[in-house]
Amino acid sequence: MTDSKERLTQWLRDAHAMEEQAETMLSGQIERLENYPELRDRMTLHLEETRQQAKRLEQCLDRMGEGSSTLKDAGGKLIAMGQSISGLFAGDEVMKGSLASYTFEHMEIASYKMLIAAAGEVGDSETQSACKANLREEEAMAEWLESKLGTVTSEFLRREERDSDAAKR
Ligand SMILES: [Fe+2]
């Protein structure tokens, strides 16, 4: 039998693994965004937020007596997904990266909504506040990415045209 508290703990661990994966993905993308400074700067900010989010989750787990020291081991499940979306880069990495980031933010949003409800169910208001803080940052990042999808696509296509024209000369 799994009770709600155990389930909450498990989902917090999953969320922590998800944030570690987010950190890996963001770090990898930031390195390749030298031509897209606005995107790079926002991702750099979100990388810092992501590290803080992981710390908030660790504090929740520590408070529940679940020790966060073994968390590194729980990260396996999501790694495959992160690799599959970051490993397909072929010239249009900025677009593949935008797609992956936007998708990932929404998985994070869904996870924190689940966690907020689960923490409410067991009366853990501190965990609920931590997850609400994380949720707000994920929503802000998803909205920002959404607002930039059109311009980044245009910028990418124009750059590609320019480069291929230059190569023909
Ligand atoms: Fe995020």
Side-chain angles (χ1 to χ4, degrees):
M1 273 284 285
T2 304
D3 68 16
S4 301
K5 269 211 168 105
E6 286 173 54
R7 198 55 88 184
L8 174 62
T9 306
Q10 183 200 329
W11 288 346
L12 283 168
R13 286 174 176 276
D14 290 345
H16 189 272
M18 175 180 74
E19 294 304 349
E20 288 196 325
Q21 186 56 31
E23 186 177 341
T24 305
M25 279 179 62
L26 286 164
S27 308
Q29 285 184 52
I30 287 164
E31 283 172 28
R32 290 178 249 191
L33 287 172
E34 69 280 1
N35 293 325
Y36 300 83
E38 203 189 356
L39 202 55
R40 187 198 53 208
D41 291 352
R42 184 63 180 87
M43 290 218 172
T44 304
L45 177 69
H46 195 59
L47 176 60
E48 199 36 57
E49 288 174 342
T50 297
R51 291 183 176 132
Q52 290 304 317
Q53 290 167 0
K55 285 211 187 79
R56 278 183 206 125
L57 296 172
E58 285 164 26
Q59 284 160 3
C60 291
L61 286 161
D62 285 341
R63 204 171 45 238
M64 294 160 99
E66 285 295 324
S68 55
S69 58
T70 57
L71 281 172
K72 288 278 173 197
D73 307 326
K77 268 182 277 176
L78 282 160
I79 287 175
M81 179 185 171
Q83 281 173 345
S84 67
I85 42 190
S86 63
L88 293 168
F89 293 156
D92 62 345
E93 46 268 277
V94 64
M95 298 317 306
K96 292 291 195 299
S98 297
L99 205 57
S101 302
Y102 189 66
T103 306
F104 208 92
E105 293 310 324
H106 283 84
M107 185 171 70
E108 293 174 324
I109 288 168
S111 301
Y112 288 120
K113 288 189 173 169
M114 280 166 54
L115 280 167
I116 289 164
E121 210 52 49
V122 306
D124 184 345
S125 60
E126 281 176 279
T127 296
Q128 212 173 26
S129 318
C131 291
K132 280 182 182 170
N134 286 10
L135 176 64
R136 276 192 295 273
E137 291 171 352
E138 308 300 19
E139 284 177 334
M141 185 61 185
E143 275 168 37
W144 190 89
L145 285 168
E146 183 168 5
S147 75
K148 297 292 170 188
L149 278 172
T151 47
V152 170
T153 306
S154 301
E155 200 179 331
F156 165 75
L157 289 173
R158 264 180 258 144
R159 177 177 300 277
E160 195 167 55
E161 285 285 333
R162 215 163 47 230
D163 292 350
S164 89
D165 286 352
K168 281 179 207 146
R169 264 183 240 125

